């Protein structure tokens, strides 16, 4: 899973949206805390178990593969849904498996090496499939918004497109969302990025029926992505509730670095559980250096950190289960600290040169995820710190973290 970011602000124009729900293979991340159970094709259907534990980073999930008949487990980590699990003993590889989470519900792979031993009997290397076994049934759907006709230019009065959509389509009714991820695509369906002379500056989703935790006069900001496209993932047992009467709104800023106007589409993939799922509700909150404004601020040349304080409101209080960051080019890291308790809640680093489609621009900002990243008490003071190391002053950078809290327990 490529790590991408969380973003921003309010604009006021209108456009139209198209709804294209599909049986989506995204997101390709595993469910944090999920247990996947299945069988190996060879060896008379021997049981395979893949366990994923929550990690302290959106970029890496750690887990273990166990083929019971082999009597051995092998650990793995994954950043994009693909993994290699390997067990060594005495300098030799005694077990090796490869796999990929094809959806949040399912993992496929193969045991490619196994140390031969009589007690293995018919157990031998083979393909395997496993399905999520310890969570309610997760459905996946992609909503496509657009087309957006984007003029050449970089925006802010020089081409590009700032627009808003009201009453947009939702992936489900009476459900709880456990994951969201956004992508920008060209008219032919290709992912759009710097290598196609396009850029997703930001997309933000709002629930107009709820009040924002840090900007109470505005609707609730519950998901955002910049060009890094960081997905939102919640640990097993938690979900963002969607009521049948909820009305959603979208804002976006798109850039077209080509020479001609082009149509672009925003695709948001959702993983969700329907009905009375038993998941604990998780609520979003938004931390922003220029909160309740445009989200943009100026950073000077050189190494500089902008700081902003927040007070935890009753709506923000609870168990922090997920938080991720957003920065622009030349950003280095962004962090949130509870200065009342002295706890560093999350320090998210920016990444570069991980994906050629970004052509050297920022392509990841990390985050923190788990059943208890930290505890926020009403009245606590939070400090957001956004760091850049820029070759010259930049007038319109951003520093944002979006978190989700659940009831204590």
């Amino acid at each position: 899973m490529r790590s991408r970011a969380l973003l921003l602000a309010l604009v006021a124009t209108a456009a139209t949206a198209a709804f294209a729900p599909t049986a989506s293979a995204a997101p390709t991340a595993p469910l944090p805390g999920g247990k996947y159970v299945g069988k190996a094709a060879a060896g008379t259907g021997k049981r395979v178990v893949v366990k994923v534990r929550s990690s302290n980073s959106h970029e890496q999930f750690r887990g273990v593969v166990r083929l019971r008949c082999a009597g051995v487990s092998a650990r793995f980590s994954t950043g994009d849904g693909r993994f290699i699990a390997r067990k060594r003993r005495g300098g030799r590889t005694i077990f090796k498996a490869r796999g990929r989470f094809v959806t949040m519900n399912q993992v496929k792979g193969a045991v490619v090496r196994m140390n031969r031993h009589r007690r293995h009997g018919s157990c031998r290397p083979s393909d395997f499939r496993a399905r999520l076994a310890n969570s309610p049934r997760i459905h996946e759907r992609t909503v496509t918004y657009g087309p957006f006709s984007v003029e050449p230019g970089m925006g802010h009065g020089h081409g590009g497109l700032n627009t808003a959509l009201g009453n947009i389509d939702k992936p489900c009714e009476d459900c709880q969302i456990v994951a969201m991820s956004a992508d920008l695509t060209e008219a032919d369906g290709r992912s759009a990025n710097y290598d196609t002379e396009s850029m997703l500056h930001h997309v933000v989703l709002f629930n107009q029926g709820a009040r924002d935790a840090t900007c109470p006069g505005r609707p609730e900001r519950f998901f955002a992505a910049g060009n890094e496209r960081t997905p939102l993932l919640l640990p097993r047992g938690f979900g963002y509730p969607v009521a049948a009467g909820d009305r959603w709104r979208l804002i976006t800023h798109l850039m077209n670095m080509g020479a001609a106007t082009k149509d672009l589409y925003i695709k948001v993939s959702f993983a969700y559980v329907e009905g009375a799922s038993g998941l604990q509700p998780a609520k979003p909150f938004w931390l922003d250096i220029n909160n309740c404004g445009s989200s943009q601020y100026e950073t000077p040349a050189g190494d500089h950190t902008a700081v902003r304080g927040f007070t935890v409101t009753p709506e923000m209080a609870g168990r922090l289960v997920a938080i991720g960051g957003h920065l622009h080019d030349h950003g280095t890291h962004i962090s949130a600290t509870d200065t009342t308790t002295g706890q560093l809640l999350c320090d998210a680093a920016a990444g570069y040169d991980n994906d050629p489609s970004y052509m050297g621009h920022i392509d990841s900002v990390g985050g923190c995820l788990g059943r208890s990243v930290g505890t926020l008490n009403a009245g606590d003071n939070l400090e957001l710190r956004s760091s850049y190391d820029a070759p010259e002053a930049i007038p319109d950078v951003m520093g944002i973290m979006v978190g989700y809290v659940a009831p204590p327990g």
Side-chain angles (χ1 to χ4, degrees):
M1 165 188 78
R2 296 184 303 187
S3 180
R4 329 232 182 212
L6 289 150
L7 240 233
L8 120 63
L10 258 79
V11 222
T13 26
T16 57
F19 179 52
T22 62
S24 171
T28 56
L31 180 69
K35 179 181 178 181
Y36 298 76
V37 178
K39 293 181 178 180
T44 64
K46 300 298 184 179
R47 191 170 187 256
V48 174
V49 175
V50 179
K51 291 184 179 180
V52 179
R53 68 179 180 85
S54 297
S55 170
N56 64 354
S57 170
H58 280 311
E59 301 189 47
Q60 290 293 329
F61 296 91
R62 296 177 177 86
V64 64
V65 177
R66 179 175 177 83
L67 180 59
R68 179 172 290 180
C69 65
V72 65
S73 298
R75 296 178 181 177
F76 67 85
S77 65
T78 178
D80 62 1
R82 295 177 292 234
F83 64 86
I84 295 176
R86 182 184 284 108
K87 179 79 170 182
R88 285 189 170 97
R89 185 177 297 157
R92 297 175 55 204
T93 297
I94 63 169
F95 180 85
K96 182 179 178 182
R98 293 192 180 99
R100 179 177 183 269
F101 291 89
V102 292
T103 69
M104 187 168 276
N105 284 300
Q106 186 176 188
V107 57
K108 295 181 180 180
V111 176
V112 295
R113 181 174 297 180
M114 184 188 303
N115 200 32
R116 295 289 183 179
H117 193 281
R118 284 181 300 174
R119 66 185 176 90
H120 293 158
S122 60
C123 189
R124 60 185 183 274
S126 64
D127 296 340
F128 68 83
R129 295 188 180 191
R131 294 194 65 82
L132 185 64
N134 64 338
S135 193
R137 170 66 179 168
I138 293 175
H139 302 272
E140 293 170 287
R141 176 170 288 179
T142 295
V143 182
T144 300
Y145 303 101
F148 299 96
S149 181
V150 186
E151 296 179 357
M154 293 297 290
H156 306 299
H158 304 285
L161 178 70
N162 272 292
T163 193
L165 307 178
N167 198 26
I168 63 172
D169 290 288
K170 307 189 298 287
C172 55
E173 304 277 2
D174 187 23
C175 59
Q176 294 209 59
I177 294 173
V178 299
M180 294 176 259
S181 63
D183 195 15
L184 183 69
T185 67
E186 305 282 344
D188 61 6
R190 290 179 300 157
S191 185
N193 212 320
Y194 280 95
D195 62 342
T196 68
E197 300 183 312
S198 306
M199 180 187 174
L200 173 63
H201 190 281
H202 66 263
V203 59
V204 186
L205 301 184
F206 301 82
N207 180 359
Q208 297 188 190
R211 186 178 67 172
D212 194 84
T214 59
C215 268
R218 295 181 175 179
E220 180 179 77
R221 298 167 286 186
F222 67 89
F223 174 71
N227 204 52
E228 315 93 302
R229 305 169 209 200
T230 297
L232 167 72
L233 296 170
L234 296 176
R236 182 178 64 88
F238 301 94
Y240 174 67
V242 179
D246 285 349
R247 293 175 60 245
W248 286 8
R249 185 168 182 254
L250 172 153
I251 64 167
T252 189
H253 181 186
L254 305 177
M255 294 182 179
N256 170 12
M257 288 81 81
T261 298
K262 66 165 70 176
D263 286 343
L264 295 172
Y265 297 79
I266 294 173
K267 295 187 177 183
V268 184
S269 295
F270 299 89
Y272 61 92
V273 176
E274 295 180 323
S277 61
L279 301 183
Q280 293 189 53
K283 302 180 298 182
F285 66 88
W286 186 288
L287 306 179
D288 189 332
I289 294 296
N290 185 11
N291 199 37
C292 306
S294 69
S295 292
Q296 297 175 348
Y297 72 95
E298 182 172 358
T299 191
D303 190 356
H304 179 264
T305 297
V307 181
R308 176 160 181 165
F310 294 84
T311 300
V312 176
T313 63
E315 293 80 10
M316 297 166 62
R319 187 170 17 146
L320 180 62
V321 296
I323 185 168
H326 168 69
L327 296 164
H328 284 191
D329 277 348
H330 306 294
T332 57
H333 63 99
I334 187 166
S335 67
T337 301
D338 187 327
T339 57
T340 301
T341 64
Q343 181 183 10
L344 174 63
L345 300 170
C346 187
D347 189 359
Y352 297 84
D353 299 318
N354 298 302
D355 186 326
S357 67
Y358 285 80
M359 301 179 69
H361 295 271
I362 187 170
D363 57 33
S364 68
V365 180
C368 300
L369 178 69
R371 295 185 66 84
S372 185
V373 175
T375 300
L376 303 183
N377 303 302
D380 281 2
N381 294 315
L382 303 183
E383 183 178 81
L384 178 69
R385 299 177 65 87
S386 174
S387 298
Y388 281 78
D389 191 357
E392 59 186 9
I394 305 175
D396 54 359
V397 300
M398 295 180 182
I400 298 170
M401 297 193 88
V402 178
Y404 268 76
V405 291

